[in-house]
Amino acid sequence: MTFQALLLTQADGKTAAAVTQLDESALPVDGNVLVAVDYSTINFKDGLAITGRAPVVRKWPMVAGIDGAGTVLDSSDPRWRTGDRVVLNGFGVGETHWGCLAQRARLQGDWLVRLPDAFTSRQAMAIGTAGYTAMLSVLALERGGALGPVKPGDGEVLVTGASGGVGSVAIAILSKLGYRVVASTGKTAEADFLRALGAADVIDRAELGAPGKPLQKERWAGVVDSVGSHTLVNACAQVRYGGVVTACGLAQGMDFPASVAPFILRGVTLAGIDSVMAPLSLRETAWKRLAQDLAPDRLQAITREIRLGEAIDAASQIMAGGMRGRVVVDVNA
């Protein structure tokens, strides 16, 4: 049996991407669950891999796609049976193991999470790694820091990279939970969109993007940051005593040119968010909470759908900063 997939190859250090027909026998043998993929998505990491902008891919050739949702076709893992609905996020899929921008994927059973009944496969990919990461960040705010959880009444919560996948889902979740959310974005034309998601206020990312003082006026009770670099540094410098900052991205850069002052003088907690290798128990909690705390109308508002053949152009768009919200890929169209 053949299936279509977005295949990445490399020659002379350059990455080439093409939708290709592959034989099912070509799927990796180091997987014990065969999944019929319904939908995938395009994340920032997918954009890096497909465009070759960063060395995301570690084995060649590679089927792209770090996320997938679909139905089990065959399994030698006792936890999974034919017909089970599953979702996959991370675990090196699309990097070291063939990914889910394809009609078929052979995966390890312990990478899979049972898809909550509240979601269709399409909705699961409208969430994707970006939305799942946003939920991990919310859980970290709720775990809290030196003064305990960051609660809705504690003050404003800043969300950076607000029009992106992580940011838009974080706004939708936090506002539904009762937090007053301030969205930071470089796309000022998206202010109405962000307010419709639940942002109480919108600020220009330029306010945070340049080098600043080690300690600044206290404002934020918590922060969800997907940008990194000076934006993350300034966010930390503006957090109120005992507040929590979650760091889950590097859109501005991997550097962190910071001072220890916010951490030792204001008791600020900086919580790193890893979505790739998070343990199953945490993944299951995150997906359960997404089913509970992410309103379907808000999810639909940030989602658009494309065909597999359009995924290469979408990857270039996300790298150029020309995309908002979430993009769902129908791998069977």
Side-chain angles (χ1 to χ4, degrees), residues 5-116:
L6 201 169
L7 187 69
L8 307 180
T9 56
Q10 190 178 65
D12 299 325
K14 295 183 178 180
T15 299
V19 175
T20 307
Q21 288 292 128
L22 298 172
D23 193 274
E24 200 169 281
S25 62
L27 287 166
V29 296
D30 57 336
N32 54 12
V33 181
L34 179 64
V35 176
V37 181
D38 297 326
Y39 291 92
S40 185
T41 183
I42 299 290
N43 296 288
F44 187 76
K45 184 181 285 187
D46 295 310
L48 290 171
I50 294 168
T51 62
R53 289 275 296 273
V56 170
V57 177
R58 305 296 182 181
K59 293 183 180 179
W60 303 93
M62 177 59 60
V63 172
I66 67 173
D67 287 335
T71 305
V72 172
L73 291 175
D74 185 57
S75 173
S76 59
D77 186 317
R79 291 170 293 184
W80 302 107
R81 297 182 180 181
T82 301
D84 285 345
R85 299 191 316 134
V86 295
V87 60
L88 179 283
N89 307 110
F91 281 114
V93 171
E95 302 175 62
T96 60
H97 187 98
W98 277 19
C100 295
L101 279 165
Q103 293 173 309
R104 295 286 184 273
R106 184 172 285 126
L107 306 164
Q108 291 286 354
D110 53 5
W111 297 346
L112 302 174
V113 173
R114 197 170 302 278
L115 186 59

Side-chain angles (χ1 to χ4, degrees), residues 16-332:
V19 175
T20 307
Q21 288 292 128
L22 298 172
D23 193 274
E24 200 169 281
S25 62
L27 287 166
V29 296
D30 57 336
N32 54 12
V33 181
L34 179 64
V35 176
V37 181
D38 297 326
Y39 291 92
S40 185
T41 183
I42 299 290
N43 296 288
F44 187 76
K45 184 181 285 187
D46 295 310
L48 290 171
I50 294 168
T51 62
R53 289 275 296 273
V56 170
V57 177
R58 305 296 182 181
K59 293 183 180 179
W60 303 93
M62 177 59 60
V63 172
I66 67 173
D67 287 335
T71 305
V72 172
L73 291 175
D74 185 57
S75 173
S76 59
D77 186 317
R79 291 170 293 184
W80 302 107
R81 297 182 180 181
T82 301
D84 285 345
R85 299 191 316 134
V86 295
V87 60
L88 179 283
N89 307 110
F91 281 114
V93 171
E95 302 175 62
T96 60
H97 187 98
W98 277 19
C100 295
L101 279 165
Q103 293 173 309
R104 295 286 184 273
R106 184 172 285 126
L107 306 164
Q108 291 286 354
D110 53 5
W111 297 346
L112 302 174
V113 173
R114 197 170 302 278
L115 186 59
D117 291 339
F119 295 130
T120 65
S121 294
R122 184 185 186 279
Q123 288 172 322
M125 288 298 95
I127 296 167
T129 283
Y132 150 68
T133 301
M135 190 72 246
L136 292 177
S137 297
V138 173
L139 292 173
L141 293 179
E142 291 178 344
R143 286 194 297 272
L147 299 182
V150 178
K151 300 182 291 297
D154 290 343
E156 295 175 313
V157 173
L158 172 69
V159 175
T160 67
S163 62
V166 174
S168 55
V169 177
I171 291 168
I173 295 170
L174 288 165
S175 62
K176 185 175 185 292
L177 291 172
Y179 292 87
R180 179 178 171 82
V181 182
V182 176
S184 167
T185 180
K187 302 174 183 177
T188 54
E190 302 289 0
D192 289 343
F193 165 73
L194 296 171
R195 288 190 175 94
L197 287 180
D201 196 7
V202 179
I203 63 174
D204 194 309
R205 69 182 179 193
E207 295 185 27
L208 297 165
K213 295 179 180 179
L215 282 177
Q216 301 171 34
K217 184 178 179 180
E218 296 180 49
R219 179 171 182 181
W220 318 115
V223 177
V224 175
D225 176 69
S226 60
V227 177
S229 192
H230 292 292
T231 297
L232 176 58
V233 172
N234 287 318
C236 290
Q238 295 174 12
V239 171
R240 295 165 62 174
Y241 191 93
V244 178
V245 180
T246 68
C248 63
L250 43 74
Q252 187 179 11
M254 291 185 66
D255 59 319
F256 185 54
S259 163
V260 299
F263 312 112
I264 64 174
L265 298 179
R266 291 182 180 166
V268 171
T269 295
L270 179 58
I273 305 299
D274 168 51
S275 62
V276 177
M277 302 303 293
L280 180 60
S281 60
L282 184 55
R283 290 169 182 267
E284 290 175 335
T285 297
W287 277 98
K288 180 179 179 181
R289 285 289 304 276
L290 283 162
Q292 174 183 319
D293 296 325
L294 181 57
D297 60 332
R298 299 279 176 89
L299 183 61
Q300 180 59 32
I302 64 174
T303 304
R304 70 182 178 96
E305 183 176 321
I306 63 174
R307 301 186 301 273
L308 183 59
E310 299 173 291
I312 297 171
D313 286 341
S316 296
Q317 290 175 32
I318 199 171
M319 296 313 301
M323 189 177 293
R324 77 176 187 188
R326 303 286 299 127
V327 176
V328 168
V329 183
D330 184 347
V331 299
N332 297 291

